[in-house]
């Protein structure tokens, strides 16, 4: 055996087993660690984090996001045994939801939540009904956002730091007039100088809404995972 340096340390992240899948450490090995319990952030701290990170975001939107997360946590902690349970809704998802809502004003928070947490695809009927009931009550109390952003094109633009790429969306105003919304697309590298437009791809009833949501998430720097419904 080769001795390690006196300042050598091992830092391990441990999740509760159960609820999460895993294997507990053997007592002799576990005794070599100093454990520190880090509880989930309080409602107050979550509010302050979102207010600090997104100062321009409507306070009502922040309250709605936190309220929904706390309601889902109650369903998750209740469990349903053999009938299934609700997957964990991570606190970090609050930042992702707030980020997209900050970049796309008046976006539908209900649609944004279902996009980030597709519970209807992975839970049992009993859990589905519980979450749907919570969402219905939440939507009635926090009727925040109803704007649909439709992706139109990605095009190059000049800036003080060089060439950048911008995404253009259209949406309907309260007077039903079409308005244009543009913002920078980060981490995008296209080889061609030509624009990428919707009319260049095969459009369909489902393709454009899905593409629009993917571009929105990419503009916010979020990872994307496409999950389809299971058809038996």
């Amino acid at each position: 055996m080769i001795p390690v340096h006196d300042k050598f340390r091992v830092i391990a992240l441990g999740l509760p087993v159960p609820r999460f899948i895993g294997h507990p450490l053997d007592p002799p090995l576990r005794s070599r660690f100093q454990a520190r319990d880090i509880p989930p952030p309080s409602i107050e701290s979550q509010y302050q984090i979102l207010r600090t990170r997104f100062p321009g975001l409507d306070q009502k939107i922040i309250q709605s996001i936190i309220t929904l997360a706390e309601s889902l946590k109650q369903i998750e902690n209740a469990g349903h045994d053999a009938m299934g349970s609700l997957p964990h809704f991570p606190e970090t998802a609050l930042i992702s939801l707030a980020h997209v809502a900050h970049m796309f004003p008046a976006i539908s928070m209900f649609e944004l939540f279902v996009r980030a947490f597709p519970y209807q695809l992975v839970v049992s009927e009993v859990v589905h009904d519980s979450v749907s009931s919570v969402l219905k009550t939440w939507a009635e109390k926090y009727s925040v956002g109803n704007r649909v952003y439709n992706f139109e094109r990605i095009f190059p633009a000049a800036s003080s730091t060089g060439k950048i790429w911008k995404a253009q969306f259209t949406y309907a105003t309260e007077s039903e007039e079409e308005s244009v919304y543009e913002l920078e697309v980060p981490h995008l590298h296209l080889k061609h100088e030509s624009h990428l437009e919707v009319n260049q791809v095969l459009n369909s009833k489902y393709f454009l809404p899905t593409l629009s949501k993917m571009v929105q998430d990419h503009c916010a720097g979020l990872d994307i995972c496409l999950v389809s419904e299971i058809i038996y």
Side-chain angles (χ1 to χ4, degrees):
M1 297 182 62
I2 301 176
V4 299
H5 195 277
D6 292 340
K7 295 184 178 181
F8 179 79
R9 298 290 184 271
V10 175
I11 301 176
L13 175 65
L15 297 176
V17 180
R19 165 167 52 99
F20 299 100
I21 299 176
H23 303 281
L25 294 177
D26 294 331
L29 178 59
R30 187 168 64 241
S31 64
R32 297 176 179 271
F33 285 87
Q34 293 180 340
R36 179 180 179 183
D37 180 32
I38 304 178
S42 64
I43 295 178
E44 293 75 14
S45 62
Q46 292 179 45
Y47 179 81
Q48 290 301 326
I49 290 173
L50 296 181
R51 286 292 292 173
T52 301
R53 188 157 181 175
F54 309 104
L57 188 60
D58 189 345
Q59 181 177 347
K60 187 177 181 181
I61 294 179
I62 295 179
Q63 292 175 343
S64 70
I65 294 174
I66 296 176
T67 299
L68 180 57
E70 290 299 313
S71 299
L72 294 176
K73 188 182 299 183
Q74 293 179 8
I75 298 177
E76 178 186 349
N77 293 336
H80 291 274
D81 300 326
M83 296 181 181
S85 59
L86 183 68
H88 179 62
F89 184 78
E91 288 76 13
T92 52
L94 300 181
I95 297 178
S96 299
L97 291 173
H99 195 173
V100 178
H102 181 256
M103 297 189 69
F104 295 88
I107 193 173
S108 170
M109 293 306 301
F110 179 84
E111 185 278 325
L112 188 57
F113 165 76
V114 175
R115 184 201 312 178
F117 193 64
Y119 70 94
Q120 69 275 23
L121 302 179
V122 294
V123 299
S124 64
E125 183 177 352
V126 174
V127 180
H128 179 278
D129 292 343
S130 298
V131 177
S132 296
S133 177
V134 168
L135 284 175
K136 181 180 179 180
T137 303
W138 174 74
E140 292 174 351
K141 182 177 181 180
Y142 298 98
S143 56
V144 182
N146 59 0
R147 184 174 296 170
V148 177
Y149 290 85
N150 294 314
F151 170 71
E152 293 292 334
R153 63 180 182 135
I154 290 178
F155 60 96
S159 71
S160 58
T161 57
K163 186 182 73 174
I164 61 174
W165 294 92
K166 284 191 173 183
Q168 183 182 89
F169 297 84
T170 57
Y171 63 89
T173 62
E174 295 181 359
S175 59
E176 299 300 325
E177 296 179 355
E178 186 176 82
S179 183
V180 177
Y181 182 69
E182 297 178 356
L183 73 168
E184 182 179 350
V185 183
H187 312 300
L188 182 64
H189 303 283
L190 297 180
K191 295 181 179 180
H192 303 289
E193 293 293 333
S194 59
H195 299 182
L196 174 63
E197 301 188 17
V198 170
N199 57 17
Q200 296 175 336
V201 298
L202 179 62
N203 197 359
S204 68
K205 177 181 178 181
Y206 301 101
F207 181 80
L208 179 57
T210 302
L211 178 63
S212 299
K213 297 169 186 176
M214 291 175 63
V215 177
Q216 292 168 21
D217 290 343
H218 180 78
C219 288
L222 303 179
D223 295 328
I224 300 174
C225 177
L226 297 180
V227 181
S228 63
E229 295 186 24
I230 301 177
I231 301 177
Y232 295 97

